[in-house]
Amino acid sequence: MSDLDNFKSGEIFKKLSKEKPLFSFFLSKKADSGKDTVTEEEKKAVYEIIIKERYWLKYPSIPFEIEKDYYYLLH
């Protein structure tokens, strides 16, 4: 199962809920060269899932996507 599939199915949030962190922070994968290994479409899809999960709060952790949330905080 890919990381995107884990977000879509909610599996990543279910696994995190066992640890009960107050916040969970996500950052897209980078290659050793520093380049993104995730496409912009995948980043957008994950961010939309994170926003939805944050709104509904079905799990005990409040999720944040570091790059996108940081961008929106500054702009």
Side-chain angles (χ1 to χ4, degrees):
M1 182 178 272
S2 74
D3 289 339
L4 183 56
D5 291 335
N6 279 327
F7 275 95
K8 287 180 178 178
S9 70
E11 190 62 32
I12 195 159
F13 301 110
K14 291 174 194 170
K15 287 180 181 178
L16 277 171
S17 67
K18 293 176 185 174
E19 301 296 323
K20 296 186 171 97
L22 184 55
F23 300 102
S24 50
F25 297 92
F26 299 95
L27 184 61
S28 63
K29 290 182 180 179
K30 303 241 185 236
D32 290 337
S33 65
K35 294 183 180 181
D36 283 334
T37 60
V38 180
T39 67
E40 285 302 317
E41 293 83 24
E42 290 171 325
K43 286 182 183 182
K44 183 179 177 186
V46 166
Y47 190 61
E48 288 173 2
I49 293 166
I50 287 174
I51 293 296
K52 184 190 298 183
E53 292 300 329
R54 194 162 49 203
Y55 180 80
W56 291 108
L57 288 177
K58 294 187 288 186
Y59 303 101
S61 182
I62 301 169
F64 291 92
E65 199 289 324
I66 294 174
E67 290 178 2
K68 297 272 189 206
D69 283 324
Y70 180 75
Y71 174 82
Y72 289 119
L73 281 171
L74 296 179
H75 294 96

